[in-house]
Amino acid sequence: MLSMRFDLRLPNMNAAQIADQYHAALDMAQWADGKPGFTIGLTEHHAAEDGYMSSPLVVATAMAARTSNVKFLIGCALLPMYDPVRLAEEIIALDYISRGRVTYVLGIGYRPEEYALYGLDFNERGRIADQKVEQLLCELDKAQRASEPLRVTPAPFTSPRPPIMWGGASKPAARRAGRLGLGFFAQTDNPELGKIYRESSLAAGHQPGPLVLPSADRPSIVFVDPDPDLAWQELGQYLLQDARSYAEWNRNTKHQTVSLSQAQTVEYLREERAAHQILTPAEAVGQINLWGSLSLHPLCGGCPPKIAWSYLTNIEQYLLPLL
């Protein structure tokens, strides 16, 4: 019903402020644990000037240790930057700490800087991803078999393994998900991607798994307040920071992504009524009824924890009683 995402983009902050943001994210996860139907999403990027979270499994582990009910979605975890054996071990450890509450969306990434940081050839990213995802799945599957002489241990808490999907906005991403028997989490609602995914799954002898094709009509970053005018005055700079940062990263990207905006001003971002929205409680209920859930992003764009908490209080005070 409600989801909450953290990327911990923290522009122009000092070490103490960054630590405050990380600890606020942990506290917010604990807050969500007492609410029904909450999912927490953690995303990943590297070599970002604004400190975008680079270790979502570490953060998810800390959150899982402080919660009992809330579920987690890590995505996309940029697989080429991982050692598959070590990643399998960390997935299994988090599977036990969370008691099976984590789903993974793996991806290939689109920023050459990230590949350069890890000494990887950006032009070989497809081959690298194929090699590593096959090894990762093999290691997780071998961990279930005690007869294997050399395997990662222990076997996963979740049998046969924690849920894993492949993410992306391209046809090769859809084919990769289908060929490997994974679910597919797209970045757009392009129906052709769904068709390719289903056909690739069946051609490889797999039944299609979960398929997510997000609509551009569904806001992906939502705050709730009875007075949106005042809320835009307080939050607008942070929402614009988020929108402009993603637009800059994706300026040369050929594929569609539903959360992208070309806004250069707070006024334009608000009028756009696309990914970034501030809704009244009644409007938020309407979005939940339409889409089945609402996507919160309380620390968006480096929003200070004190301000972010006030909008989570709005969720408790104004929205939850209406649901």
Side-chain angles (χ1 to χ4, degrees):
M1 182 186 302
L2 294 174
S3 64
M4 186 160 56
R5 183 166 72 87
F6 297 99
D7 57 24
L8 296 175
R9 306 187 84 160
L10 310 169
N12 305 315
M13 291 193 176
N14 60 40
Q17 290 172 312
I18 293 171
D20 288 344
Q21 293 272 340
Y22 271 79
H23 282 271
L26 302 186
D27 291 340
M28 289 172 180
Q30 190 168 9
W31 170 87
D33 198 51
K35 314 296 181 295
F38 245 105
T39 299
I40 291 178
L42 302 170
T43 52
E44 172 183 336
H45 276 293
H46 303 268
E49 291 185 0
D50 58 13
Y52 199 119
M53 178 167 38
S54 58
S55 299
L57 272 76
V58 172
V59 176
T61 301
M63 289 179 169
R66 293 178 57 174
T67 59
S68 301
N69 303 302
V70 68
K71 296 184 178 180
F72 298 91
L73 176 70
I74 295 178
C76 287
L78 303 183
L79 184 58
M81 286 77 190
Y82 288 88
D83 174 87
V85 177
R86 184 61 178 165
L87 179 57
E89 293 175 326
E90 293 184 357
I91 286 174
I92 290 172
L94 180 50
D95 194 34
Y96 277 96
I97 291 171
S98 68
R99 294 184 184 269
R101 290 183 283 133
V102 183
T103 295
Y104 296 85
V105 180
L106 306 178
I108 197 171
Y110 56 86
R111 298 178 63 239
E113 298 90 337
E114 296 175 311
Y115 282 78
L117 178 67
Y118 279 82
L120 301 171
D121 186 345
F122 182 71
N123 295 319
E124 293 291 318
R125 60 192 183 278
R127 180 189 61 79
I128 295 169
D130 283 336
Q131 175 185 350
K132 290 193 173 185
V133 69
E134 290 174 7
Q135 185 179 2
L136 172 66
L137 297 177
C138 179
E139 295 296 342
L140 289 171
D141 291 343
K142 283 168 54 179
Q144 291 278 2
R145 301 193 293 269
S147 60
E148 291 285 346
L150 192 63
R151 67 188 188 280
V152 299
T153 56
F157 176 83
T158 303
S159 182
R161 63 182 183 227
I164 296 176
M165 304 175 72
W166 191 266
S170 67
K171 295 177 183 178
R175 294 190 188 100
R176 183 176 291 112
R179 174 173 57 82
L180 295 169
L182 304 177
F184 181 50
F185 200 118
Q187 293 170 284
T188 175
D189 59 355
N190 183 351
E192 185 178 11
L193 293 179
K195 180 175 182 291
I196 291 171
Y197 166 67
R198 287 186 288 267
E199 290 176 349
S200 299
S201 298
L202 295 172
H206 305 296
Q207 285 299 314
L211 172 62
V212 180
L213 298 171
S215 171
D217 296 327
R218 177 180 182 176
S220 55
I221 296 171
V222 173
F223 287 78
V224 176
D225 194 88
D227 190 339
D229 291 334
L230 286 177
W232 271 105
Q233 292 178 28
E234 185 170 49
L235 296 170
Q237 61 179 313
Y238 307 112
L239 300 184
L240 183 63
Q241 171 68 33
D242 179 83
R244 294 180 67 176
S245 298
Y246 267 118
E248 174 63 21
W249 279 6
N250 286 271
R251 66 185 185 277
N252 297 319
T253 301
K254 299 178 182 178
H255 307 299
Q256 291 182 330
T257 302
V258 295
S259 60
L260 287 183
S261 168
Q262 299 305 314
Q264 294 298 311
T265 66
V266 172
E267 292 74 18
Y268 185 97
L269 187 66
R270 182 178 182 180
E271 292 172 1
E272 193 175 46
R273 291 192 64 83
H276 303 73
Q277 295 191 28
I278 300 176
L279 305 175
T280 67
E283 290 172 333
V285 171
Q287 289 289 324
I288 293 173
N289 290 337
L290 179 61
W291 301 109
S293 65
L294 196 70
S295 301
L296 311 176
H297 193 352
L299 297 173
C300 180
C303 180
K306 184 176 181 180
I307 295 176
W309 273 115
S310 71
Y311 287 92
L312 292 183
T313 299
N314 285 349
I315 297 295
E316 251 182 332
Q317 182 175 355
Y318 299 114
L319 180 58
L320 293 182
L322 299 178
L323 298 178

